[in-house]
Amino acid sequence: MRLRAGRDDDLTALLALWVASWREVFPEIDFAARRSWFARHLAELEDAGADVTVACADDGRALGFVVFDPATGVMDQLCVGVDSKGAGVARALLEAVKRRAPGGVHLTVNKANARAVRFYQREAFEIVGEAVNPNSGLAIWKMVWRLGGAVTRNREPLH
Ligand SMILES: CC(C)(COP(=O)(O)OP(=O)(O)OC[C@H]1O[C@@H](n2cnc3c(N)ncnc32)[C@H](O)[C@@H]1OP(=O)(O)O)[C@@H](O)C(=O)NCCC(=O)NCCS
């Protein structure tokens, strides 16, 4: 497996991967119907300064991707294909993001997405708040990873 910057010609493969991966998380939601929304969302994120990193198999097939804005530290989307779950691909993508995030990595995750919440906690993210997603109405956790987390927390206590 190797990581590389996303390219325009990745879009079709990444959308297919995204639909299949999310369908497994929330089978009751029609993610295929949201494909064009996600394509627009991705373009808007890139216009705003985020970039895409793709994990590829040796034959070039996309295994997963992450969307990260180094200016804000916001990781909007981490997604690996159905066959790549549990294989270390998500961790490799996240490690690459962490290396570019001196100010920490910030994300939100649906509370009902137990696998993702467990994954982020295992990868040293902490829950720092909660909210409701204004689009879906679903409850979300706000999570943060910080370099040398405990030290930073002691300097910046939550009020
Ligand atoms: C979230 C995601 C990136 C994590 O990558 P992954 O390769 O599946 O993660 P891992 O298998 O390494 O870790 C998942 C952890 O959750 C656990 N887990 C699996 N299914 C679970 C479930 N239903 N409930 C709770 N925990 C679960 C695993 O055992 C593992 O924990 P462990 O290492 O302590 O045993 C991947 O599942 C994915 O792409 N999901 C769809 C998109 C998504 O949800 N993205 C994140 C949105 S913010």
Side-chain angles (χ1 to χ4, degrees):
M1 186 198 59
R2 69 189 177 89
L3 304 187
R4 62 160 172 78
R7 304 184 303 240
D8 289 348
D9 64 357
D10 286 322
L11 186 61
T12 304
L14 297 191
L15 288 175
L17 188 154
W18 179 84
V19 169
S21 185
W22 276 101
R23 186 183 278 149
E24 202 175 58
V25 180
F26 296 123
E28 66 280 13
I29 296 177
D30 184 358
F31 285 97
R34 297 184 176 195
R35 194 188 305 252
S36 54
W37 167 81
F38 185 63
R40 277 198 311 279
H41 181 58
L42 207 48
E44 284 166 10
L45 291 169
E46 291 183 288
D47 286 348
D51 55 47
V52 179
T53 301
V54 179
C56 295
D58 292 343
D59 63 5
R61 191 169 47 93
L63 302 175
F65 67 99
V66 64
V67 185
F68 177 64
D69 186 338
T72 61
V74 174
M75 190 173 79
D76 181 86
Q77 187 73 214
L78 172 62
C79 186
V80 300
V82 170
D83 296 340
S84 297
K85 290 181 183 175
V89 175
R91 174 180 248 172
L93 286 162
L94 180 58
E95 288 299 323
V97 164
K98 286 177 172 177
R99 285 195 290 274
R100 302 169 61 207
V105 180
H106 302 256
L107 61 85
T108 59
V109 56
N110 283 328
K111 290 185 181 181
N113 191 350
R115 181 170 193 145
V117 174
R118 169 73 202 135
F119 169 78
Y120 290 128
Q121 287 183 316
R122 193 193 73 208
E123 301 300 328
F125 280 74
E126 286 185 70
I127 292 172
V128 293
E130 56 188 317
V132 172
N133 182 318
N135 297 320
S136 64
L138 296 175
I140 53 179
W141 294 122
K142 297 179 180 183
M143 301 187 82
V144 176
W145 170 87
R146 289 185 198 282
L147 190 61
V151 176
T152 309
R153 272 199 310 284
N154 289 342
R155 283 193 201 128
E156 296 175 11
L158 289 172
H159 296 292

